[in-house]
Amino acid sequence: MQVGGVGSGHDTYSHHVTSCLHEHGANTDMGSMGAKSGAAQTATEALQENSKGNLLSWVQNIGNSGKQLLQKIWGDSKESNDAISSQKDGSGNHIAGQETLVTGNSVGVKTTLNRAAVELAALAESYSDHPISRSIKDAWGDTIDMNRVSNAQEISGHGVQAEIDGHTVLAGNSKLMKEMNVAYQECMSMGTVVYVALDGVYCGYIVIADSIKDEAFEAIKNLKKVGVRRTVMLTGDKKEVGEAVAARLGLDEVHAELLPGDKVAKVEELLAQQTGKHRLAFVGDGINDAPVLSRADVGIAMGMAGTDVARNAADMVLADDNFATIAGAIAQGRSIYENIRKSVLFLLSSNFGEIITMLAAVAMGLASPLKSSHILWINLITDSLPALALGVDVEEQKDYMNRPPRRRDESLFAGGGWGCTCFYGLLIAGISMLAFLQGPVGTIKSAGMTLTIPHLQAVLKDAQVLARSQTYAFTVLGMAQLFHAIGMRDVETSVFCMNHLENRLMLAAFAVGISLQMMVTEVPYFVQLFGTCRLTALEWTKLLGLAAMPLLAHELLVLFSCAGEVKDALRLQGED
């Protein structure tokens, strides 16, 4: 069923944030801050002149105007030499670890300027709910004064622009810098780079590096196990970043540097490639993922880090934001489906046995083996409790992880369902008729008469013989279904290998069923109510033996199946 998986890049890793604030321009004294001050122009010229030089030497030699621009707003009261560490979960860290903000001192930039750069970016990103924006805000850590921010707007696929304390701040990728004609120094670090500019002057960059949790690798393997045929990453990050993450996780494809519209087009392309039995799932958490989440066959959003728009557009929401939950959900879904299937097959085979029992007696012209009250009792009491127990059975999910996906149009009777229903239905009918005819046959033999249908009809006209025969059939039919339910927990496993304590409700259903069946044959009030006869210990022993036949048949089928598997394995070993 689930054979294709697609996710946005931010759903497969989280972010380590590294900031590097560059000092621009000449030693020009700044009297005031205009939209385009002389210092800004000088800084821009200095940046352009040094754009081809080494990043380290460029940072060390370009003067203080960039620093003055930031200090004009924040002053020098910020912490100066302490690295900033955020132990909060970053946005988009669905299979990634915690994030840490590392200062840019390795390239000669003071910590106070790094922290100012992060505050500048956090203020600009304050109105955005993008995963990268949330990571920057979490890395800043302090309270963000929204009153300082105005005219904030998110430029799709580029970044954000905002007015902070009356100054224009840009925070985004290289496309934003180019579109706004900001001269900047390209960062070659691995990761998502957020460039920061103030009043048209490039201030520095923040690198959102990628970190992958250890359990991410196991999560991808489990997706492959449950039958996800193809894993694809769609991300707006740089190609190098996407490819690096995809290579480490073992993803089949990666498409990077995508705008929101590009993601929709790519998903449409992937949907066109699906065959009739395949389905495509998309995992996302951002506003820009909403169109893709609604377009995919199965849209999966993050419950904690995901936006409201994404959650509303999705078919399924991961409450724990754990990517590995998807494989577990698939396995659990298969377990629930299997429980439903077992309950249905149990009820059908049991009722089929009742029908065949009645039809066989009618076909031979015999009296009815069951009274209407007997049938009603079995359907309400003996059938219902075991069926409920099967519906809540505890399944080993690791077994379902290794099973191939089920076809969407697959019938409940596929995989031997029809055979199971017919076999156990006929078996239950056979032992019920055997119990019903046990008394009349014994009477005919003891009288020295030939066993014929007319003789059976004549013997069953005796009210006492008929009442006892009906009690036998009623008791065996009711208890046989209880034994049958135990075997139906797993038709491929011996009852001696099952953990029966995992389904205490089944044990209770069996005990209650046996007790109630004994009640209608031993308690005088119910004996009179149901028209049954009291049974001796010997009769109970014989009837219990007959009723256990479905469980014996289950064990024989499992034994033959195991023997066949061993034989096939030996044959293949001999061929090798």
Side-chain angles (χ1 to χ4, degrees), residues 189-475:
S189 299
M190 180 64 70
T192 300
V193 182
V194 177
Y195 298 98
V196 182
L198 177 65
D199 287 334
V201 179
Y202 172 55
C203 297
Y205 62 81
I206 297 174
V207 179
I208 313 295
D210 306 321
S211 173
I212 303 176
K213 277 185 178 178
D214 294 336
E215 55 265 32
F217 303 95
E218 188 66 24
I220 298 300
K221 290 180 181 178
N222 287 337
L223 285 175
K224 298 286 187 180
K225 281 184 179 179
V226 298
V228 174
R229 180 177 57 91
R230 187 177 172 193
T231 52
V232 184
M233 178 193 290
L234 305 182
T235 178
D237 288 334
K238 293 191 300 186
K239 183 178 180 182
E240 296 81 1
V241 176
E243 289 179 347
V245 173
R248 291 191 61 193
L249 289 175
L251 304 180
D252 298 313
E253 296 178 27
V254 58
H255 302 278
E257 301 179 3
L258 299 178
L259 296 175
D262 299 330
K263 286 187 179 182
V264 176
K266 182 56 65 174
V267 167
E268 291 288 354
E269 179 182 329
L270 293 171
L271 284 169
Q273 297 172 7
Q274 302 294 327
T275 60
K277 65 178 181 179
H278 294 155
R279 294 294 177 268
L280 183 139
F282 179 86
V283 186
D285 60 0
I287 295 176
N288 294 334
D289 292 326
V292 187
L293 287 168
S294 61
R295 181 65 188 89
D297 294 318
V298 181
I300 305 173
M302 300 298 161
M304 298 170 61
T307 61
D308 291 337
V309 176
R311 288 193 293 267
N312 290 334
D315 302 297
M316 182 172 71
V317 177
L318 301 181
D320 59 358
D321 280 12
N322 191 342
F323 192 79
T325 303
I326 298 175
I330 295 174
Q332 187 177 21
R334 292 177 181 176
S335 172
I336 293 172
Y337 175 83
E338 188 63 23
N339 283 344
I340 295 173
R341 183 173 181 269
K342 290 187 300 187
S343 297
V344 171
L345 293 181
F346 164 73
L347 290 172
L348 287 177
S349 56
S350 298
N351 288 312
F352 184 59
E354 296 174 25
I355 294 172
I356 295 300
T357 300
M358 298 298 291
L359 286 178
V362 171
M364 291 188 293
L366 304 178
S368 174
L370 299 169
K371 294 182 178 181
S372 57
S373 59
H374 299 168
I375 297 174
L376 182 62
W377 176 265
I378 291 173
N379 289 337
L380 293 179
I381 306 299
T382 311
D383 279 357
S384 300
L385 295 178
L388 291 173
L390 287 173
V392 297
D393 202 10
V394 177
E395 296 290 339
E396 292 291 341
Q397 291 191 9
K398 61 182 180 181
D399 180 45
Y400 290 102
M401 295 284 280
N402 297 319
R403 295 188 181 185
R406 175 181 57 85
R407 291 180 61 92
R408 191 177 187 182
D409 57 349
E410 181 179 288
S411 168
L412 281 171
F413 299 101
W418 276 117
C420 176
T421 300
C422 295
F423 173 76
Y424 283 106
L426 291 172
L427 178 61
I428 291 173
I431 59 177
S432 298
M433 283 299 297
L434 184 61
F436 177 66
L437 296 176
Q438 183 177 345
V441 169
T443 300
I444 291 173
K445 287 185 176 181
S446 62
M449 297 185 295
T450 306
L451 182 59
T452 62
I453 292 180
H455 287 162
L456 287 173
Q457 293 172 341
V459 171
L460 286 171
K461 289 181 179 179
D462 186 308
Q464 291 185 347
V465 173
L466 178 60
R468 185 161 295 274
S469 296
Q470 288 177 333
T471 301
Y472 283 6
F474 177 34
T475 301

Side-chain angles (χ1 to χ4, degrees), residues 503-525:
N503 194 339
R504 298 177 186 274
L505 184 58
M506 177 61 75
L507 297 178
F510 183 85
V512 170
I514 293 293
S515 300
L516 291 176
Q517 195 62 45
M518 295 180 67
M519 182 181 70
V520 297
T521 60
E522 303 304 320
V523 177
Y525 172 77

Side-chain angles (χ1 to χ4, degrees), residues 50 52-63 107:
N50 291 279
K52 297 181 179 179
N54 178 269
L55 178 61
L56 178 58
S57 61
W58 178 78
V59 171
Q60 292 173 338
N61 294 326
I62 61 173
V107 291

Side-chain angles (χ1 to χ4, degrees), residues 64-79:
N64 296 316
S65 61
K67 177 178 178 179
Q68 291 171 343
L69 284 169
L70 288 167
Q71 289 178 340
K72 184 68 176 178
I73 297 179
W74 293 289
D76 283 321
S77 61
K78 303 297 180 182
E79 298 88 331

